[in-house]
């Protein structure tokens, strides 16, 4: 008997796959637990439509992630690109242009599985090469925050700033002589 799995079944298959099982296993285990449905014409059409929409959603998500990453890297290059090593900057710019080249110009265009793999590979390559750019941005942001009153991280520790918490009375708010009591409770 052929069934379409509605959820992942150990040692049998993943959700959406069409598998051949014995009559007893299908009727007595998979179907009553709604882990599968019979692979008739109607259910096959539904499964194919779901598989198509899943692939389309994956392509749209990959394209959106790649486009977003390209915009972030461009912004980062504009901010700190002049402080980077020219070879590193050139590598990031090359990877950025390669990613833009594989992205479809029309956002509604269908993406083939081969194009999807190219987009993912170009995005990963840009992610690896742009690490230096983002590191430089964070160093620059940390230097600005550390030099201003109000705090930041310096010399391996936090130098204060921010919320001091509570009242300005110095001796009464915390410490071993505080009159804060831990309460015990039981759940009913």
């Amino acid at each position: 008997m052929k069934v379409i799995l509605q959820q992942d079944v150990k040692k049998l298959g993943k959700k959406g796959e069409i598998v051949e099982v014995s009559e007893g296993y299908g009727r007595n285990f998979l179907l009553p637990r709604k882990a599968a449905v019979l692979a008739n014409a109607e259910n096959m059409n539904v499964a194919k439509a779901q598989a198509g929409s899943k692939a389309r959603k994956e392509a749209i998500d990959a394209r959106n992630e790649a486009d977003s990453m390209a915009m972030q890297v461009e912004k980062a290059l504009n901010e700190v690109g002049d402080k980077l090593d020219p070879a590193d900057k050139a590598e990031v710019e090359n990877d950025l242009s390669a990613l833009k080249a594989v992205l479809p110009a029309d956002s509604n265009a269908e993406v083939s599985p081969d194009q999807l793999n190219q987009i993912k590979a170009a995005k990963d390559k840009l992610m690896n090469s742009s690490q230096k750019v983002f590191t430089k941005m964070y160093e620059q942001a940390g230097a600005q925050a550390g030099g201003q009153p109000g705090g930041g991280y310096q010399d391996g520790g936090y130098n204060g700033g921010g919320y001091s918490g509570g009242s300005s009375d110095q001796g009464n708010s915390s410490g071993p002589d505080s009159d804060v009591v831990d309460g015990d409770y039981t759940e009913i």
Side-chain angles (χ1 to χ4, degrees):
M1 131 186 295
K2 281 190 176 185
V3 295
I4 304 169
L5 297 177
Q6 298 296 300
Q7 61 191 33
D8 292 355
V9 178
K10 210 176 216 180
K11 298 182 181 180
L12 186 59
K14 296 192 179 275
K15 180 179 179 178
E17 290 182 359
I18 301 169
V19 294
E20 184 77 32
V21 296
S22 67
E23 288 279 330
Y25 184 61
R27 294 215 183 274
N28 296 325
F29 183 76
L30 295 174
L31 296 176
R33 288 180 170 79
K34 301 204 186 299
V37 293
L38 285 175
N40 59 23
E42 181 182 343
N43 291 339
M44 295 284 276
N45 290 336
V46 170
K48 287 178 184 175
Q50 287 175 345
S53 66
K54 181 181 174 186
R56 188 169 191 273
K57 182 183 182 316
E58 182 183 357
I60 290 170
D61 288 345
R63 183 177 37 209
N64 289 343
E65 288 173 10
D67 194 35
S68 173
M69 180 176 211
M71 290 181 0
Q72 288 174 353
V73 170
E74 275 182 322
K75 182 180 176 187
L77 279 175
N78 290 337
E79 289 181 19
V80 296
D82 56 329
K83 297 176 180 129
L84 291 175
D85 179 50
D88 293 338
K89 184 177 179 183
E91 180 184 1
V92 172
E93 287 173 340
N94 288 338
D95 291 344
L96 180 62
S97 61
L99 177 61
K100 286 182 175 183
V102 296
L103 286 173
D106 182 14
S107 62
N108 294 324
E110 288 295 320
V111 176
S112 70
D114 186 45
Q115 287 175 313
L116 179 62
N117 291 335
Q118 289 176 353
I119 290 171
K120 287 180 179 180
K123 185 183 84 156
D124 289 343
K125 188 173 181 188
L126 178 61
M127 187 179 298
N128 290 333
S129 67
S130 66
Q131 289 297 322
K132 292 176 185 171
V133 175
F134 290 114
T135 302
K136 194 69 161 171
M137 280 182 63
Y138 290 127
E139 287 174 358
Q140 184 180 12
Q144 288 176 353
Q148 296 176 354
Y153 286 93
Q154 290 181 344
D155 301 325
Y158 190 69
N159 72 350
Y163 180 68
S164 62
S167 67
S168 61
D169 291 344
Q170 290 277 328
N172 297 336
S173 64
S174 65
D177 297 330
S178 174
D179 46 332
V180 175
V181 177
D182 289 339
D184 292 329
Y185 68 95
T186 57
E187 291 185 26
I188 299 175

